[in-house]
Amino acid sequence: MAFSFFKKTPAPQVETRKPVRPTAPAAGTATASRPPDSMPASDPPSSAGLMSLDFVSRDPLEGARRAGKGELQVQDVSSGLHPVVEEAAMLFANGDDEAALSTLERATFGDLGSSTEQVWAMLFDLCHALGRVDAFEAHALAYAERFERSAPAWPASPSRGATSGPPTLTLAGKLTAASRASIDQIDRLCSKAHVVRVDVARLHDVDEDGARMLLDVLVALRRCGHGVAMLSATVLRDLLAPRIVPGKAEGPAQWLLYLEALQQLGDEANFEEFAIQYAVTFELSPPSWDARWVSSVLAPVAAEPAPVEKNARIALRGEIVGARQDAFAVLQAADLPQGVMKVDCSELCRMDFISAGLLFNVITAVQATGRQPRLVDVRPMVAALLLLIGVAAVAEIQQRRF
C-alpha cells in the first residue's frame, strides 16, 4: 500500500482555557463564555468566516482518473484544511476522544478564519457523540454570544447509531511487541462496546511477545465482563499448531494462545486434550474451558443479507476500524443500479485512518462500474477525516448539519 504523508503547517498558538460550563452568572459580572481579558475586544466575526459545510467535490471523478490499480491511493488534499481540523480528525479516528475534544475547545478561542464554522461543527458533533449535554449547551451559549446568531440545539436522535454488529479490529502481518498500538485498540473499543470482534485472517506470524500481549488484554477484558470474539480463528490455530509440541517446554504464551483459538472455535475436545498436554509440559495449571467465550456465542454470525433492491437504502454503520476487506462490501454489490449511489452515513459513528484509505480505493473501483457514490448525513468528525484522506476527490460528501 502506498500512502502520501501529509506535511502539516505548524498549528497556530491559541490560549489554553477550561471549556465553558453553563452556570448562572453573578450579578454585575461577565458571563463565562466571553473571550479572555487578554484578547482585545472586537466586533463579532463577520459571516465571511462562517462557511456552509457541504464538503461537495466539484469534480468527483478527478481522483479516480489519477488512481492506479490495486494500490491504496491516499491523496494529499489536506492543504486547504486548518491544522486544528486535521489534528482533531486524526485524534478521533484513533479513538482519543478526550484529546480531540480538548483540541477543538482550545481552538474556538482563536481566529480560525474560514474554518470557523467547520471547527465549531466538529465540537458540537463530538460533544453529542460523547453524550456531553452540559458541555454542548455551554458551547452553544458561547457560540450564540460570539456570533450573534442562533446556536445549534441538542439533536433529538441518539448520539450513537445502531450498528450492524460489534466493532471489528483487524490484526495483520506479524504479531510482535511492536503491535502494542493495535492491541491497545482492542481495549479502547471495549470501552464503547460490550463485545468486540478481532479478525485474525491476515496474520502471518505470532511471536512469544505478541502472543503474551494479546492474552493479557483478553484476560483483563474478561475480568471486566467484556468479550472478544475472534474471526477466522482457524488461521491462528493453524499458524500456531506446528509450534505446539508436547513435552517441549518452549513458547508458553503461544501454547495458551493456541488453546484460546480452540476455545474461540468451540473445539472443546481438542481444547481439553491440549490443556492436559500444557499442564504436563510446563507443570502449570492449564486454563479451563468456558463456553461463554466461544466466538459464535459472543457474536453470532448474521444471516446473509438479501440482494439489494433498486431503491433499497445503502448505509455504512457503526465503527469501521482495522480496514476489514468486507467493511465496504455493501458498496460493491454487483446488482446495484448505475448512476448516483446514495450512501446513508447517519449511523456511521467512527472510521479510522486506514479504513478511510480503503474507502477511497473502494469508491475508485465502484466508479469504474458506472456508479457514483454520494455519502450523505456524514457526521462532521468523520467528514473531516474523509476530507483529509482525499475522499472528496472521488465522491460527493454531504455533512450533517447541527
Side-chain angles (χ1 to χ4, degrees):
M1 299 191 296
F3 293 89
S4 293
F5 291 92
F6 308 119
K7 182 178 180 182
K8 300 183 180 179
T9 56
Q13 298 296 319
V14 296
E15 181 170 348
T16 301
R17 187 167 166 246
K18 293 176 68 177
V20 180
R21 293 290 182 268
T23 57
T29 62
T31 60
S33 59
R34 293 195 177 189
D37 294 338
S38 60
M39 295 177 64
S42 60
D43 294 331
S46 68
S47 59
L50 304 177
M51 67 177 185
S52 174
L53 296 180
D54 278 333
F55 296 145
V56 177
S57 170
R58 298 304 177 190
D59 183 6
L61 294 178
E62 179 182 359
R65 299 189 188 103
R66 294 195 295 266
K69 294 183 179 180
E71 185 178 38
L72 182 60
Q73 302 290 329
V74 181
Q75 291 185 292
D76 182 0
V77 297
S78 62
S79 58
L81 294 180
H82 196 285
V84 169
V85 173
E86 295 185 19
E87 181 182 0
M90 287 301 298
L91 287 169
F92 181 74
N94 291 333
D96 200 344
D97 299 343
E98 296 301 328
L101 182 61
S102 178
T103 297
L104 293 169
E105 287 177 329
R106 290 197 308 268
T108 58
F109 290 121
D111 181 8
L112 297 167
S114 61
S115 297
T116 299
E117 190 75 0
Q118 185 177 15
V119 171
W120 279 91
M122 292 171 69
L123 177 58
F124 287 126
D125 178 35
L126 186 51
C127 287
H128 181 236
L130 298 176
R132 307 281 177 83
V133 180
D134 289 346
F136 186 101
E137 293 178 350
H139 293 307
L141 176 62
Y143 178 92
E145 284 189 352
R146 184 173 179 184
F147 301 112
E148 297 184 350
R149 57 188 292 182
S150 298
W154 181 265
S157 59
S159 60
R160 294 188 184 274
T163 68
S164 57
T168 303
L169 176 71
T170 297
L171 296 178
K174 186 175 182 179
L175 190 63
T176 67
S179 308
R180 170 60 64 185
S182 297
I183 299 298
D184 288 346
Q185 184 75 354
I186 301 174
D187 190 38
R188 284 196 291 269
L189 289 176
C190 273
S191 69
K192 304 175 179 67
H194 182 67
V195 175
V196 168
R197 294 181 298 198
V198 176
D199 190 347
V200 296
R202 295 165 62 189
L203 278 180
H204 301 150
D205 195 9
V206 180
D207 68 10
E208 188 70 4
D209 291 335
R212 174 59 59 192
M213 281 196 310
L214 181 55
L215 287 168
D216 288 346
V217 168
L218 293 177
V219 170
L221 290 173
R222 285 170 180 169
R223 286 174 180 168
C224 297
H226 294 280
V228 176
M230 282 190 188
L231 303 181
S232 303
T234 53
V235 172
L236 183 61
R237 180 200 63 193
D238 296 344
L239 190 63
L240 293 171
R243 309 171 194 182
I244 308 306
V245 181
K248 188 176 182 180
E250 295 180 359
Q254 295 178 68
W255 268 77
L256 291 173
L257 190 56
Y258 179 74
L259 290 172
E260 174 66 30
L262 294 175
Q263 180 160 263
Q264 290 278 344
L265 292 168
D267 189 352
E268 185 175 3
N270 278 314
F271 179 95
E272 295 294 355
E273 177 184 345
F274 281 95
I276 294 173
Q277 294 291 347
Y278 172 85
V280 172
T281 300
F282 294 97
E283 299 182 356
L284 294 171
S285 298
S288 300
W289 173 265
D290 193 333
R292 293 176 300 169
W293 308 129
V294 174
S295 179
S296 60
V297 173
L298 286 168
V301 178
E304 287 293 323
V308 179
E309 299 177 4
K310 184 174 182 179
N311 297 319
R313 187 179 74 154
I314 304 169
L316 298 177
R317 298 184 176 91
E319 295 198 2
I320 301 178
V321 297
R324 289 180 58 211
Q325 293 298 316
D326 62 344
F328 305 108
V330 67
L331 306 181
Q332 299 173 289
D335 53 354
L336 288 173
Q338 292 192 338
V340 174
M341 184 171 68
K342 184 177 178 181
V343 182
D344 181 4
C345 298
S346 61
E347 295 179 355
L348 177 59
C349 301
R350 189 192 309 265
M351 188 181 298
D352 66 7
F353 182 86
I354 301 299
S355 297
L358 177 60
L359 175 61
F360 181 98
N361 235 26
V362 168
I363 290 177
T364 301
V366 167
Q367 287 179 334
T369 66
R371 305 176 180 92
Q372 179 56 50
R374 175 186 295 164
L375 310 180
V376 300
D377 202 13
V378 184
R379 62 182 308 164
M381 292 301 298
V382 174
L385 177 68
L386 298 183
L387 284 175
L388 178 62
I389 292 293
V391 174
V394 294
E396 182 179 333
I397 304 175
Q398 295 181 355
Q399 178 177 280
R400 178 184 307 169
R401 293 181 178 275
F402 278 87

